[in-house]
């Protein structure tokens, strides 16, 4: 039987069954190469001829103890991991170059090593001396972490096999070179092969492996999600360069909740944890001003208050601008359309800018009402009272839907000194002492009550 070959494009990672000079997916030339498996075994008969062995089957009721976990003492990291590091797990930490991944992982490596976990840190990007210098600057010189600067995956795996660490950190997956794959480090086939080898190694040898992955311009790790499905946990390290806040976000976790976030601050002495993110995100807030509204959000298991800022100005262009930082631009278009169609408030001829303060990224639909409030406040040039938080989802009909975990949102607001909240009616009511909750059933009612129009 002919061996089936597969080819993939190193630029966009599209797969093909035959080679060609130009990729049909992205139009690049000379980017298609054959995918080779590391362990190409002898060709097998078809599965219809069945010569396999029987697999032992178990019932769902079989007792399973939860995996033992090791905490490193950095609470924000431990929580994002789902309560600590699980042995034999493969973790991918993605993020833009320069955002602080190496710093975070070096600090984590030191903490884990200090907690008695045998830890090896392999840098494929920096020389050992550079890593040592950084460690000294971070005050981690005495942590029992073993270092290596290497990119040859075969040598790395051989070393890990001999040294038997409990945790290995590979910085970064894009610099790793598997010598059985004919393409340059960083290409999709190399990254895929390296991640596969490392993940398999982690499972087989009981080593936890953390891999660093640089995110490409379009926000994906080395081409479309080639690694994410292989690993147990995917964490993204995000933040704006100009801000000192960094957010570690779990986007996938087989051993804990996804969507959990850890908040850090980049200081001269490395990353320090932020125990109360709401206070930090609101710390730069000044006097109440038009266009600024505080949203009471939920990130993972924690409530987080953030400021939504909007600016609405007459547009000099025939196509008014819509610019969004930290939120979904199509969701903004939807809110503008609902305001126009259901409340008769047009935004035609106006430029609209929306920004989530502090470099935070919000994806919750519950932010809709806060965004609408910020837009209206900016458009009408009227500030909402400074001690008010807003949350709620807006449907296309203009109705407001209650948001999940309303009680936690309200409690967090009260804890941070807010005395009133605007929330959708419906759902359960909660009495929070010191906090007045004003409810609206639909957007028209909300606009009428707070902006005197609609
Ligand atoms: P780094 O961890 O090298 O980023 P990555 O591995 O994601 O590419 O972080 C680099 C940035 O962090 C660099 O611009 C300097 C800054 N930084 C600090 O501000 N303080 C510090 O203590 C360290 C180590 C780095
Ligand atoms: Mg780095």
């Amino acid at each position: 039987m002919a061996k089936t070959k597969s080819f993939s494009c190193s630029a966009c990672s599209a797969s093909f069954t035959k080679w060609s000079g130009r990729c049909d997916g992205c139009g690049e030339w000379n980017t298609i190469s054959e995918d080779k498996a590391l362990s190409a075994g002898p060709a097998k008969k078809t599965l219809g001829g069945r010569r396999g062995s029987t697999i032992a089957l178990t019932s769902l009721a079989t007792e399973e103890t939860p995996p033992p976990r090791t905490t490193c003492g950095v609470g924000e990291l431990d929580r994002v991991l789902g309560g600590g590091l699980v042995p034999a797990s493969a973790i991918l930490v993605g993020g833009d170059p320069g955002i602080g991944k190496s710093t975070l992982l070096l600090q984590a490596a030191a903490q884990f090593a200090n907690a008695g976990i045998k830890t090896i840190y392999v840098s494929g990007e920096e020389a050992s001396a550079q890593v040592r210098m950084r460690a000294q600057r971070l005050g981690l010189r005495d942590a029992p972490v073993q270092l290596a600067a290497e990119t040859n995956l075969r040598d790395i795996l051989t070393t890990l096999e001999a040294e038997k660490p409990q945790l290995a950190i590979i910085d970064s997956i894009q610099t790793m070179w598997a010598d059985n794959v004919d393409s340059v480090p960083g290409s999709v086939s190399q990254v895929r092969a390296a991640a596969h080898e490392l993940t398999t190694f982690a499972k087989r040898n009981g080593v936890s492996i953390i891999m660093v992955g640089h995110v490409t311009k379009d926000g994906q790790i080395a081409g479309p999600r080639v690694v994410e499905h292989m690993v147990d946990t995917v964490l993204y390290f995000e933040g704006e360069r100009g801000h000192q806040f960094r957010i570690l976000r779990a986007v996938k976790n087989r051993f804990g909740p996804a969507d959990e976030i850890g908040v850090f601050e980049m200081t001269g002495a490395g990353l320090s944890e932020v125990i109360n993110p709401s206070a930090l995100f609101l710390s730069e807030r000044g006097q109440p001003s038009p266009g600024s509204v505080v949203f009471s959000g939920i990130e993972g298991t924690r409530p987080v208050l953030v400021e939504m800022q909007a600016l609405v100005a007459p547009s000099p262009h025939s196509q008014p601008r819509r610019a969004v930082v930290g939120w979904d631009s199509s969701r903004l278009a939807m809110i503008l359309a609902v305001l126009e169609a259901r409340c008769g408030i047009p935004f035609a001829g106006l430029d609209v800018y929306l920004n989530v303060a502090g470099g935070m990224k919000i994806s919750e639909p519950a932010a809709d009402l806060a965004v609408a409030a910020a837009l209206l406040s900016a458009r009408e040039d009227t500030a909402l009272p400074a001690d008010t938080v807003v949350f709620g989802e807006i449907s296309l009909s203009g109705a407001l839907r209650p948001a999940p975990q309303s009680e936690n949102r309200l409690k967090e607001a009260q804890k941070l000194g807010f005395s009133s909240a605007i929330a959708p009616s419906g759902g359960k009511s909660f009495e929070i002492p010191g906090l007045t909750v004003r409810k609206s059933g639909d957007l028209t009612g909300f606009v009428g009550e707070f902006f005197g129009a609609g």
Side-chain angles (χ1 to χ4, degrees), residues 314-347:
S315 179
H317 310 288
S318 55
Q319 273 278 356
R321 291 207 61 176
R322 305 281 185 251
V324 190
V325 178
W327 208 52
D328 182 15
S329 54
S330 48
R331 198 94 195 165
L332 173 68
M334 190 196 98
I335 305 283
L336 291 173
V338 175
L339 281 170
E340 179 146 6
R342 306 295 174 201
C343 311
I345 301 173
F347 281 83

mmCIF file of all heavy atoms in Angstrom, residues 314-347:
data_model
loop_
_atom_site.group_PDB
_atom_site.id
_atom_site.type_symbol
_atom_site.label_atom_id
_atom_site.label_comp_id
_atom_site.label_asym_id
_atom_site.label_seq_id
_atom_site.Cartn_x
_atom_site.Cartn_y
_atom_site.Cartn_z
ATOM 1 N N PRO A 314 -17.314 64.396 16.217
ATOM 2 C CA PRO A 314 -17.728 64.537 14.818
ATOM 3 C C PRO A 314 -16.598 64.085 13.899
ATOM 4 O O PRO A 314 -15.433 64.381 14.159
ATOM 5 C CB PRO A 314 -17.976 66.042 14.666
ATOM 6 C CG PRO A 314 -18.177 66.546 16.045
ATOM 7 C CD PRO A 314 -17.395 65.657 16.955
ATOM 8 N N SER A 315 -16.951 63.329 12.873
ATOM 9 C CA SER A 315 -15.917 62.771 12.014
ATOM 10 C C SER A 315 -15.652 63.656 10.807
ATOM 11 O O SER A 315 -16.586 64.095 10.144
ATOM 12 C CB SER A 315 -16.344 61.389 11.534
ATOM 13 O OG SER A 315 -15.362 60.874 10.692
ATOM 14 N N PRO A 316 -14.377 63.899 10.518
ATOM 15 C CA PRO A 316 -14.063 64.644 9.293
ATOM 16 C C PRO A 316 -14.097 63.740 8.059
ATOM 17 O O PRO A 316 -13.992 64.213 6.939
ATOM 18 C CB PRO A 316 -12.640 65.138 9.556
ATOM 19 C CG PRO A 316 -12.061 64.150 10.514
ATOM 20 C CD PRO A 316 -13.193 63.568 11.303
ATOM 21 N N HIS A 317 -14.235 62.414 8.284
ATOM 22 C CA HIS A 317 -14.172 61.472 7.161
ATOM 23 C C HIS A 317 -15.566 61.087 6.696
ATOM 24 O O HIS A 317 -16.524 61.147 7.464
ATOM 25 C CB HIS A 317 -13.450 60.190 7.589
ATOM 26 C CG HIS A 317 -12.147 60.455 8.266
ATOM 27 N ND1 HIS A 317 -11.044 60.909 7.600
ATOM 28 C CD2 HIS A 317 -11.792 60.343 9.571
ATOM 29 C CE1 HIS A 317 -10.055 61.073 8.463
ATOM 30 N NE2 HIS A 317 -10.489 60.740 9.668
ATOM 31 N N SER A 318 -15.648 60.640 5.452
ATOM 32 C CA SER A 318 -16.944 60.173 4.964
ATOM 33 C C SER A 318 -17.287 58.828 5.626
ATOM 34 O O SER A 318 -18.446 58.513 5.832
ATOM 35 C CB SER A 318 -16.924 60.038 3.445
ATOM 36 O OG SER A 318 -15.866 59.204 3.089
ATOM 37 N N GLN A 319 -16.246 58.043 5.962
ATOM 38 C CA GLN A 319 -16.431 56.781 6.695
ATOM 39 C C GLN A 319 -15.973 57.019 8.121
ATOM 40 O O GLN A 319 -14.780 56.993 8.393
ATOM 41 C CB GLN A 319 -15.527 55.706 6.091
ATOM 42 C CG GLN A 319 -16.082 54.930 4.926
ATOM 43 C CD GLN A 319 -16.997 53.805 5.394
ATOM 44 O OE1 GLN A 319 -17.160 53.573 6.585
ATOM 45 N NE2 GLN A 319 -17.626 53.131 4.460
ATOM 46 N N PRO A 320 -16.881 57.253 9.083
ATOM 47 C CA PRO A 320 -16.405 57.540 10.434
ATOM 48 C C PRO A 320 -15.587 56.384 10.999
ATOM 49 O O PRO A 320 -15.807 55.227 10.641
ATOM 50 C CB PRO A 320 -17.697 57.727 11.232
ATOM 51 C CG PRO A 320 -18.764 57.904 10.241
ATOM 52 C CD PRO A 320 -18.341 57.227 8.993
ATOM 53 N N ARG A 321 -14.655 56.707 11.875
ATOM 54 C CA ARG A 321 -13.764 55.679 12.439
ATOM 55 C C ARG A 321 -14.403 54.981 13.626
ATOM 56 O O ARG A 321 -15.131 55.580 14.411
ATOM 57 C CB ARG A 321 -12.460 56.326 12.913
ATOM 58 C CG ARG A 321 -11.610 56.820 11.801
ATOM 59 C CD ARG A 321 -10.169 56.822 12.234
ATOM 60 N NE ARG A 321 -9.740 55.459 12.584
ATOM 61 C CZ ARG A 321 -8.500 55.158 12.917
ATOM 62 N NH1 ARG A 321 -7.586 56.077 12.979
ATOM 63 N NH2 ARG A 321 -8.178 53.922 13.215
ATOM 64 N N ARG A 322 -14.118 53.689 13.738
ATOM 65 C CA ARG A 322 -14.533 52.908 14.901
ATOM 66 C C ARG A 322 -13.273 52.210 15.386
ATOM 67 O O ARG A 322 -12.791 51.302 14.718
ATOM 68 C CB ARG A 322 -15.555 51.835 14.495
ATOM 69 C CG ARG A 322 -16.786 52.364 13.764
ATOM 70 C CD ARG A 322 -17.758 52.959 14.748
ATOM 71 N NE ARG A 322 -19.011 53.391 14.150
ATOM 72 C CZ ARG A 322 -19.352 54.672 13.995
ATOM 73 N NH1 ARG A 322 -18.514 55.632 14.323
ATOM 74 N NH2 ARG A 322 -20.525 54.998 13.502
ATOM 75 N N ALA A 323 -12.730 52.624 16.500
ATOM 76 C CA ALA A 323 -11.488 51.992 16.964
ATOM 77 C C ALA A 323 -11.684 51.451 18.373
ATOM 78 O O ALA A 323 -12.275 52.110 19.220
ATOM 79 C CB ALA A 323 -10.347 52.986 16.930
ATOM 80 N N VAL A 324 -11.217 50.227 18.603
ATOM 81 C CA VAL A 324 -11.430 49.567 19.886
ATOM 82 C C VAL A 324 -10.113 49.016 20.413
ATOM 83 O O VAL A 324 -9.375 48.385 19.666
ATOM 84 C CB VAL A 324 -12.402 48.371 19.740
ATOM 85 C CG1 VAL A 324 -12.815 47.849 21.093
ATOM 86 C CG2 VAL A 324 -13.613 48.747 18.938
ATOM 87 N N VAL A 325 -9.829 49.236 21.673
ATOM 88 C CA VAL A 325 -8.680 48.579 22.307
ATOM 89 C C VAL A 325 -9.195 47.813 23.520
ATOM 90 O O VAL A 325 -9.834 48.377 24.396
ATOM 91 C CB VAL A 325 -7.613 49.614 22.740
ATOM 92 C CG1 VAL A 325 -6.453 48.915 23.442
ATOM 93 C CG2 VAL A 325 -7.110 50.397 21.548
ATOM 94 N N GLY A 326 -8.951 46.511 23.536
ATOM 95 C CA GLY A 326 -9.319 45.702 24.703
ATOM 96 C C GLY A 326 -10.714 45.103 24.656
ATOM 97 O O GLY A 326 -11.146 44.463 25.597
ATOM 98 N N TRP A 327 -11.419 45.322 23.556
ATOM 99 C CA TRP A 327 -12.757 44.746 23.433
ATOM 100 C C TRP A 327 -12.961 44.316 21.989
ATOM 101 O O TRP A 327 -12.165 44.617 21.118
ATOM 102 C CB TRP A 327 -13.818 45.781 23.861
ATOM 103 C CG TRP A 327 -15.069 45.150 24.414
ATOM 104 C CD1 TRP A 327 -15.144 44.221 25.392
ATOM 105 C CD2 TRP A 327 -16.410 45.425 24.021
ATOM 106 N NE1 TRP A 327 -16.454 43.905 25.635
ATOM 107 C CE2 TRP A 327 -17.250 44.634 24.816
ATOM 108 C CE3 TRP A 327 -16.997 46.273 23.078
ATOM 109 C CZ2 TRP A 327 -18.635 44.642 24.697
ATOM 110 C CZ3 TRP A 327 -18.367 46.298 22.969
ATOM 111 C CH2 TRP A 327 -19.180 45.486 23.767
ATOM 112 N N ASP A 328 -14.079 43.634 21.727
ATOM 113 C CA ASP A 328 -14.329 43.101 20.406
ATOM 114 C C ASP A 328 -14.973 44.171 19.505
ATOM 115 O O ASP A 328 -15.989 44.748 19.874
ATOM 116 C CB ASP A 328 -15.279 41.907 20.587
ATOM 117 C CG ASP A 328 -15.576 41.223 19.283
ATOM 118 O OD1 ASP A 328 -14.839 41.487 18.316
ATOM 119 O OD2 ASP A 328 -16.533 40.436 19.227
ATOM 120 N N SER A 329 -14.369 44.418 18.340
ATOM 121 C CA SER A 329 -14.887 45.514 17.518
ATOM 122 C C SER A 329 -16.248 45.184 16.912
ATOM 123 O O SER A 329 -17.068 46.082 16.691
ATOM 124 C CB SER A 329 -13.892 45.899 16.441
ATOM 125 O OG SER A 329 -13.550 44.764 15.710
ATOM 126 N N SER A 330 -16.525 43.890 16.661
ATOM 127 C CA SER A 330 -17.839 43.595 16.093
ATOM 128 C C SER A 330 -18.927 43.750 17.155
ATOM 129 O O SER A 330 -20.066 44.092 16.865
ATOM 130 C CB SER A 330 -17.876 42.210 15.463
ATOM 131 O OG SER A 330 -17.341 41.275 16.324
ATOM 132 N N ARG A 331 -18.549 43.522 18.409
ATOM 133 C CA ARG A 331 -19.501 43.732 19.501
ATOM 134 C C ARG A 331 -19.816 45.232 19.630
ATOM 135 O O ARG A 331 -20.942 45.611 19.918
ATOM 136 C CB ARG A 331 -18.858 43.196 20.782
ATOM 137 C CG ARG A 331 -19.796 42.934 21.904
ATOM 138 C CD ARG A 331 -20.297 41.515 21.970
ATOM 139 N NE ARG A 331 -21.456 41.442 22.851
ATOM 140 C CZ ARG A 331 -22.292 40.433 22.906
ATOM 141 N NH1 ARG A 331 -22.119 39.382 22.122
ATOM 142 N NH2 ARG A 331 -23.311 40.456 23.716
ATOM 143 N N LEU A 332 -18.807 46.080 19.397
ATOM 144 C CA LEU A 332 -19.046 47.527 19.446
ATOM 145 C C LEU A 332 -20.024 47.920 18.345
ATOM 146 O O LEU A 332 -20.968 48.689 18.580
ATOM 147 C CB LEU A 332 -17.731 48.307 19.266
ATOM 148 C CG LEU A 332 -17.909 49.822 19.136
ATOM 149 C CD1 LEU A 332 -18.384 50.427 20.444
ATOM 150 C CD2 LEU A 332 -16.628 50.502 18.690
ATOM 151 N N ALA A 333 -19.818 47.371 17.151
ATOM 152 C CA ALA A 333 -20.716 47.677 16.035
ATOM 153 C C ALA A 333 -22.142 47.274 16.399
ATOM 154 O O ALA A 333 -23.109 47.987 16.092
ATOM 155 C CB ALA A 333 -20.249 46.952 14.780
ATOM 156 N N MET A 334 -22.270 46.136 17.087
ATOM 157 C CA MET A 334 -23.600 45.662 17.483
ATOM 158 C C MET A 334 -24.264 46.627 18.471
ATOM 159 O O MET A 334 -25.425 46.990 18.313
ATOM 160 C CB MET A 334 -23.472 44.272 18.112
ATOM 161 C CG MET A 334 -24.791 43.586 18.328
ATOM 162 S SD MET A 334 -24.594 42.204 19.467
ATOM 163 C CE MET A 334 -25.114 42.969 20.973
ATOM 164 N N ILE A 335 -23.516 47.071 19.455
ATOM 165 C CA ILE A 335 -24.076 47.989 20.461
ATOM 166 C C ILE A 335 -24.505 49.291 19.783
ATOM 167 O O ILE A 335 -25.583 49.831 20.069
ATOM 168 C CB ILE A 335 -23.036 48.300 21.566
ATOM 169 C CG1 ILE A 335 -22.512 47.027 22.202
ATOM 170 C CG2 ILE A 335 -23.609 49.254 22.617
ATOM 171 C CD1 ILE A 335 -23.419 46.362 23.171
ATOM 172 N N LEU A 336 -23.670 49.787 18.850
ATOM 173 C CA LEU A 336 -24.015 51.036 18.149
ATOM 174 C C LEU A 336 -25.300 50.849 17.356
ATOM 175 O O LEU A 336 -26.178 51.721 17.340
ATOM 176 C CB LEU A 336 -22.870 51.453 17.215
ATOM 177 C CG LEU A 336 -21.587 51.915 17.915
ATOM 178 C CD1 LEU A 336 -20.473 52.131 16.900
ATOM 179 C CD2 LEU A 336 -21.832 53.203 18.701
ATOM 180 N N ALA A 337 -25.427 49.678 16.719
ATOM 181 C CA ALA A 337 -26.626 49.411 15.917
ATOM 182 C C ALA A 337 -27.855 49.316 16.811
ATOM 183 O O ALA A 337 -28.935 49.830 16.469
ATOM 184 C CB ALA A 337 -26.435 48.117 15.133
ATOM 185 N N VAL A 338 -27.727 48.681 17.969
ATOM 186 C CA VAL A 338 -28.876 48.560 18.878
ATOM 187 C C VAL A 338 -29.280 49.938 19.401
ATOM 188 O O VAL A 338 -30.459 50.281 19.456
ATOM 189 C CB VAL A 338 -28.570 47.579 20.042
ATOM 190 C CG1 VAL A 338 -29.709 47.546 21.046
ATOM 191 C CG2 VAL A 338 -28.318 46.175 19.513
ATOM 192 N N LEU A 339 -28.288 50.758 19.752
ATOM 193 C CA LEU A 339 -28.602 52.113 20.250
ATOM 194 C C LEU A 339 -29.351 52.909 19.178
ATOM 195 O O LEU A 339 -30.285 53.651 19.474
ATOM 196 C CB LEU A 339 -27.306 52.854 20.624
ATOM 197 C CG LEU A 339 -26.697 52.477 21.979
ATOM 198 C CD1 LEU A 339 -25.306 53.083 22.140
ATOM 199 C CD2 LEU A 339 -27.600 52.943 23.119
ATOM 200 N N GLU A 340 -28.929 52.717 17.937
ATOM 201 C CA GLU A 340 -29.565 53.454 16.850
ATOM 202 C C GLU A 340 -30.967 52.925 16.550
ATOM 203 O O GLU A 340 -31.931 53.686 16.497
ATOM 204 C CB GLU A 340 -28.670 53.360 15.604
ATOM 205 C CG GLU A 340 -29.255 54.080 14.415
ATOM 206 C CD GLU A 340 -28.184 54.702 13.538
ATOM 207 O OE1 GLU A 340 -26.987 54.482 13.791
ATOM 208 O OE2 GLU A 340 -28.569 55.404 12.591
ATOM 209 N N ALA A 341 -31.074 51.592 16.416
ATOM 210 C CA ALA A 341 -32.345 51.012 15.992
ATOM 211 C C ALA A 341 -33.390 50.989 17.108
ATOM 212 O O ALA A 341 -34.568 51.212 16.860
ATOM 213 C CB ALA A 341 -32.107 49.596 15.477
ATOM 214 N N ARG A 342 -32.984 50.716 18.341
ATOM 215 C CA ARG A 342 -33.968 50.571 19.421
ATOM 216 C C ARG A 342 -34.184 51.849 20.219
ATOM 217 O O ARG A 342 -35.229 52.035 20.815
ATOM 218 C CB ARG A 342 -33.528 49.466 20.396
ATOM 219 C CG ARG A 342 -33.232 48.136 19.741
ATOM 220 C CD ARG A 342 -34.476 47.521 19.133
ATOM 221 N NE ARG A 342 -34.140 46.314 18.390
ATOM 222 C CZ ARG A 342 -34.908 45.790 17.454
ATOM 223 N NH1 ARG A 342 -36.064 46.358 17.143
ATOM 224 N NH2 ARG A 342 -34.529 44.693 16.825
ATOM 225 N N CYS A 343 -33.176 52.706 20.288
ATOM 226 C CA CYS A 343 -33.323 53.910 21.106
ATOM 227 C C CYS A 343 -33.317 55.179 20.265
ATOM 228 O O CYS A 343 -33.432 56.284 20.806
ATOM 229 C CB CYS A 343 -32.209 54.002 22.138
ATOM 230 S SG CYS A 343 -31.970 52.492 23.057
ATOM 231 N N GLY A 344 -33.112 55.020 18.949
ATOM 232 C CA GLY A 344 -33.125 56.187 18.070
ATOM 233 C C GLY A 344 -31.971 57.141 18.320
ATOM 234 O O GLY A 344 -32.107 58.353 18.161
ATOM 235 N N ILE A 345 -30.825 56.604 18.763
ATOM 236 C CA ILE A 345 -29.665 57.475 18.983
ATOM 237 C C ILE A 345 -28.633 57.192 17.896
ATOM 238 O O ILE A 345 -27.946 56.169 17.940
ATOM 239 C CB ILE A 345 -29.060 57.223 20.379
ATOM 240 C CG1 ILE A 345 -30.136 57.486 21.435
ATOM 241 C CG2 ILE A 345 -27.845 58.102 20.612
ATOM 242 C CD1 ILE A 345 -29.728 57.120 22.828
ATOM 243 N N PRO A 346 -28.517 58.075 16.904
ATOM 244 C CA PRO A 346 -27.608 57.776 15.788
ATOM 245 C C PRO A 346 -26.148 58.097 16.104
ATOM 246 O O PRO A 346 -25.859 59.008 16.870
ATOM 247 C CB PRO A 346 -28.131 58.683 14.675
ATOM 248 C CG PRO A 346 -28.770 59.824 15.384
ATOM 249 C CD PRO A 346 -29.225 59.342 16.725
ATOM 250 N N PHE A 347 -25.256 57.305 15.534
ATOM 251 C CA PHE A 347 -23.822 57.568 15.656
ATOM 252 C C PHE A 347 -23.224 57.841 14.272
ATOM 253 O O PHE A 347 -22.019 57.871 14.120
ATOM 254 C CB PHE A 347 -23.109 56.397 16.328
ATOM 255 C CG PHE A 347 -23.272 56.390 17.826
ATOM 256 C CD1 PHE A 347 -24.417 55.851 18.405
ATOM 257 C CD2 PHE A 347 -22.310 56.951 18.652
ATOM 258 C CE1 PHE A 347 -24.583 55.857 19.782
ATOM 259 C CE2 PHE A 347 -22.476 56.967 20.038
ATOM 260 C CZ PHE A 347 -23.618 56.426 20.606
#
